[in-house]
């Protein structure tokens, strides 16, 4: 299992643990992101260490290769001077160094593969961390909305179970009855006013008619008619 797999597995375990213990979704996501950031730091350190090891091995390989070349030159000088024994000893040293070079080159291949994989894993984790930061706010909003919907549903359920809805309906019926009674009283009051105004109007009309009748009698009947004056 690679380092990235171990990191993601650790993050998932942490997320599940916080999810079972905490109620605040924003707090959970912030803690998960913090965990991913901590893992990112560890992976960067691992990549830096792998790169440093690879470069140190490269230097050792180059030094061994240069030393092998030096021993080869010494062997040539010894042969030119007719010192076969020293030339042989120089070639033995050269072969020993060449074996070290081949071993170091094999290590370089392994280390190069490891460094490449760690860099890819680091890039993948960085993308996942960036994506988590972008999605955090969206997840928080969705979680808040879900919680609000759940609370509203539970509240409506409690209202239905306790019969509060029927109580509101009864209150509405009573209010409608009071409103109807008030409207009837207003209508009766208006009718009473109209009747009084009608009586006043009728009395004024009677007075006008009586006055016109008296005027007409004076005009039509002779002045010496006793009943005419008496009528007046």
């Amino acid at each position: 299992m690679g380092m990235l797999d171990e990191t993601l597995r650790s993050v998932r375990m942490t997320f599940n643990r916080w999810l079972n213990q905490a109620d605040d979704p924003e707090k959970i996501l912030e803690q998960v992101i913090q965990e991913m950031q901590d893992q990112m730091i560890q992976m960067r350190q691992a990549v830096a260490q792998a790169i440093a090891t690879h470069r140190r091995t490269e230097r050792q390989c180059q030094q061994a290769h240069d030393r092998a070349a030096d021993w080869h030159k010494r062997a040539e000088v010894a042969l030119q001077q007719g010192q076969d024994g020293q030339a042989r000893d120089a070639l033995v040293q050269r072969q020993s160094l060449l074996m070290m070079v081949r071993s170091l080159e094999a290590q370089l291949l392994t280390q190069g593969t490891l460094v490449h994989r760690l860099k890819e894993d680091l890039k993948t984790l960085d993308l996942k961390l960036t994506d988590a930061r972008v999605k955090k706010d969206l997840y928080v909003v969705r979680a808040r909305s879900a919680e609000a919907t759940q609370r509203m549903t539970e509240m409506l359920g409690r209202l239905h179970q306790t019969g509060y809805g029927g109580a509101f309906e009864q209150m509405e019926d009573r209010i409608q009855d009071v409103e109807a009674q008030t409207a009837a009283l207003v209508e009766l009051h208006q009718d009473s006013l109209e009747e009084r105004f009608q009586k006043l109007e009728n009395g004024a009309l009677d007075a006008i008619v009586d006055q016109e009748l008296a005027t007409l009698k004076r005009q039509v009947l002779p002045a010496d008619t006793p009943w005419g004056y008496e009528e007046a």
Side-chain angles (χ1 to χ4, degrees), residues 49-66:
Q49 184 177 0
I51 293 174
T53 301
H54 185 263
R55 290 176 178 174
R56 182 170 61 250
T57 303
E58 284 181 334
R59 290 194 299 269
Q60 292 174 350
C61 184
Q62 185 62 45
Q63 290 173 356
H65 187 274
D66 293 342

Side-chain angles (χ1 to χ4, degrees), residues 123-210:
K123 186 184 300 183
T124 300
L125 182 59
D126 185 60
L127 291 174
K128 289 183 178 295
L129 179 58
T130 301
D131 185 64
R133 287 169 175 164
V134 171
K135 291 182 178 179
K136 187 193 75 171
D137 293 338
L138 175 61
Y139 289 156
V140 168
V141 171
R142 290 175 58 186
R144 300 291 189 217
S145 177
E147 290 176 354
T149 301
Q150 182 180 8
R151 288 195 298 269
M152 183 64 67
T153 303
E154 292 175 352
M155 183 183 69
L156 292 176
R158 289 194 297 270
L159 287 175
H160 178 72
Q161 292 175 359
T162 55
Y164 289 154
F168 285 122
E169 292 177 356
Q170 293 178 3
M171 180 62 69
E172 183 178 1
D173 292 340
R174 292 184 59 184
I175 292 173
Q176 289 179 351
D177 290 341
V178 173
E179 290 175 345
Q181 294 175 7
T182 302
L185 291 175
V186 170
E187 184 176 355
L188 290 174
H189 181 67
Q190 291 178 346
D191 291 343
S192 177
L193 286 176
E194 290 180 357
E195 289 178 357
R196 284 184 287 180
F197 277 111
Q198 185 66 38
K199 290 179 180 179
L200 290 175
E201 291 176 355
N202 291 337
L205 181 60
D206 291 340
I208 293 172
V209 170
D210 291 340

